[in-house]
Amino acid sequence: MARPFGGLFGGFLKWPAKLVAEASPFARVVMNGPAVAAANAGYRNLAARLQIEGAPTIDRLVVSRLGNIETIARMRGLAAAGETVQEDLEVAAGDQILTLRISAMARPDWRHWMVWDVQCLSDQDDSLIAMRRQRDELAAFIDNAPVGLYSVGLDGRFLFANRTFAAWLNTVPEQLVGRNVTLADVLQHAEAREGEVMTPNWEGGEAKLKPLDADTNAESGFRLVGVSQSAVTDGDGRPVRYSAVVHDLSLELRHRGTLRPVEAEFRRFFDQAPIGILVLDSTGVIRDANAAFAALTGREDGLGQRLADLVREEDALVLTRHLMALRRGETFGRPLEIHLAGPRARVVEVFAASSAERDDGQSAQLVYLVDTTEQRNLQTQFHQSQKMQAVGQLAGGIAHDFNNLLTAMIGFCDLLLQRHQPGDQSFADVMQIKQNASRAANLVRQLLAFSRQQTLVPKILDITDVLADLRNLISRLIGETITLKMTHGRDLGLVRVDQGQLEQVIINLAVNARDAMTEGGELRIRTSNWQAERPTEIGAETIPPGEYVLIEVADNGHGIAPENLSKIFDPFFTTKAVGAGTGLGLSTVYGIIKQTGGFIQVESAEGEGACFRIYLPRYRPTPEELAAVRDDVRHDSRDLTGRGLVLLVEDEDAVRSFAARALRNKGYTVIEAASGEQALALPAEQLERVELLISDVVMPNLDGPSLAAELRLRRPNLRVLFISGYAEDSLRTSLAKSPHVNFLPKPFSLSQLAGKVKEVMGP
């Protein structure tokens, strides 16, 4: 975080602490040593949200979560050395867990003054939670490493100490950092003469570690350690603090000539760390790496190679420059994100330290790689779902308006056909208009199938008829370089499914097959009857005994890799290039088939194409259901006349005009209204006699479901027939809740409208 109000802080001691606190847009507290000098309103409000009265110290603000005090102590030490530090900490606020982004600022000339800024972040951000978890794992690894780690300022006071080092002193890090304990109080030269004092700039070597509560004259209370210490300098090469690694030499003294257990223990922590850790030499060649790094790259032969050779080509130069800058002591506000090469294609963030000289005189650089692939995938999935939602809304809006136009076109064609019989000169022209309008309506229905906005109405279907209707559409989708071959089974059984959903399944599989045959090929769709005599396993599922209708969709494309076969039905999983696929097609296919009570199986080998097999339960309709199916086919031969008072509410004038004329011609009395408000404004005696409400769903101000609910307060048994270009969420809810609500999708013909009204009104 950049330092705001630099000029104000430059003269900090000349300004009242209250003015400094109020200068921040964030929650801010100014600390004078352990006491609160000033706090702004944002800080007090945050404290109140955490159920703490007044303006507490920064330690008390975060004390509700284990480990926060230690982190604050470490931040205090680093800030006292002149650095601007920032950490994300979790705190408890009642039943909630809040994430606070805390930064600390100080300067050597401020004496004991320190400024703390606090931002409250959302704890619902999946990517933030993932990064915080990885950071916490790294912090826990460092804090509990089997070696001691510390950092001291120029005055010898501790700025940081890990828990291992503090434990050797019979204390905890909080009792070392920010206190009056100095390096000279706990360390002395192994060969030091009496009276010699340990200086902060000591270069390291063997030393005696003196526990804080040990008798200084009791040699048995000391621990012999090896210290490797180096100076951390500023941009001008001047030291600002000293950092060190402390090794316990007691075991080495006991077991000289053997592998020290502490090294073996450290190696175990190194290898089992949850993040990739590696050591680079001055040329960027990997000299050591842990198991997590091998898992990230998917290869065991990384030692001896340049790290830049294991990343994506376009990231190699950026990574090399980044590591060189870090070796020179430069710092960056955020880690570098790169993509590893190889089939795993992992995305990692690179954290690295400046170079340090080893015992053999060679320089080494410690590099940490944190896997952020899942975090990036979450972000991609979120963007994909937003894109698909926008596509669905666009498709639904287009369908709603276009279906209104098609309803009027088809309807007025039907009215004209009542006056122009076969043989009339205009009959053929009117039929051409109607047929083309029907073709346009079928295209809109396919658009709704793509966007999954169609009304779910299961009905008895013959798969052969469905595939015959889809043939032209599939041919256009797959293009001229791919041959479509359909083979229909004889005496094929019937199924009971939603036609729109089944069409969506076939279309998705056809499009996937097209994408797999980039050089052209053959798409084969075959149907047949299939019977399971006993439970049959397909993959991880078992098909129960019974009769099924089998649909096979096969191609001779590039096939599916074996490692992907178990994941192809997972949401958002795709092997296509970025932007070329959503990863939702096959997951939608799987969901539709399972909702229908069916099963789906895939067989594939790389280079040999793929075959998807769909097993749909065979449906044996009752005689009444068969009669209803035949009636739907021969609807023109039915008596569609009727009687009764119908209230027709439709804001599209052409649709309303056609529907009213059609129903009046069939014997119904029709009251027209152009909106829901106009319908409610009709005289009460008229509304009391209405037997059927026919209403569009989407209308300005008062929509169809709301109008129906209002009228049913007056007439609870009022029959309702909704007409709409596509099924909106409000309509789906109404259909699910009330058995007296019916639906007729647009576009519809005169006979379809009259037939549906006849069905709803009864004989």
Side-chain angles (χ1 to χ4, degrees), residues 508-736:
N508 282 350
L509 294 180
V511 170
N512 271 7
R514 176 201 66 189
D515 295 341
M517 296 183 286
T518 53
E519 303 297 329
E522 182 179 78
L523 173 61
R524 302 179 300 277
I525 302 178
R526 187 171 71 93
T527 60
S528 61
N529 292 318
W530 186 83
Q531 184 168 357
E533 300 291 345
R534 60 182 60 88
T536 304
E537 293 185 0
I538 56 166
E541 296 183 311
T542 301
I543 300 181
E547 295 180 302
Y548 296 85
V549 175
L550 173 62
I551 307 174
E552 295 177 281
V553 181
D555 64 75
N556 54 1
H558 55 64
I560 304 171
E563 63 270 17
N564 293 332
L565 276 176
S566 62
K567 300 182 289 186
I568 58 172
F569 295 122
D570 293 347
F572 301 105
F573 176 79
T574 179
T575 57
K576 299 177 183 178
V578 176
T582 64
L584 292 175
L586 289 180
S587 65
T588 301
V589 166
Y590 181 82
I592 290 174
I593 297 302
K594 296 305 293 182
Q595 289 174 358
T596 308
F599 301 87
I600 185 168
Q601 176 190 24
V602 57
E603 291 183 0
S604 179
E606 286 190 277
E608 299 180 9
C611 179
F612 288 84
R613 294 185 177 91
I614 300 170
Y615 302 86
L616 297 177
R618 182 171 181 172
Y619 187 78
R620 296 191 178 275
T622 63
E624 292 78 10
E625 290 175 323
L626 278 176
V629 172
R630 296 191 190 100
D631 286 344
D632 287 341
V633 176
R634 302 191 304 268
H635 58 272
D636 289 334
S637 62
R638 291 185 295 166
D639 179 15
L640 300 181
T641 61
R643 302 180 65 182
L645 181 59
V646 177
L647 174 57
L648 175 61
V649 186
E650 168 63 64
D651 60 333
E652 190 72 28
D653 295 339
V655 176
R656 187 176 69 254
S657 174
F658 146 68
R661 286 179 57 186
L663 292 176
R664 290 188 180 110
N665 289 344
K666 296 301 180 182
Y668 297 98
T669 303
V670 181
I671 303 174
E672 299 180 47
S675 65
E677 294 91 336
Q678 192 177 93
L680 291 177
L682 292 171
E685 57 272 13
Q686 275 189 323
L687 294 178
E688 290 294 331
R689 293 187 294 108
V690 171
E691 299 177 53
L692 172 65
L693 168 66
I694 302 177
S695 174
D696 191 10
V697 175
V698 178
M699 295 185 295
N701 301 324
L702 186 64
D703 60 15
S706 300
L707 171 63
E710 182 69 25
L711 291 177
R712 277 188 166 171
L713 292 176
R714 310 179 187 185
R715 296 200 59 187
N717 296 325
L718 177 67
R719 298 180 181 90
V720 176
L721 173 60
F722 284 128
I723 54 177
S724 181
Y726 77 109
E728 299 83 356
D729 290 338
S730 58
L731 177 58
R732 294 192 189 104
T733 303
S734 299
L735 286 170

Side-chain angles (χ1 to χ4, degrees), residues 150-161:
Y150 72 77
S151 179
V152 296
L154 300 181
D155 59 355
R157 299 183 186 276
F158 285 94
L159 305 177
F160 168 78

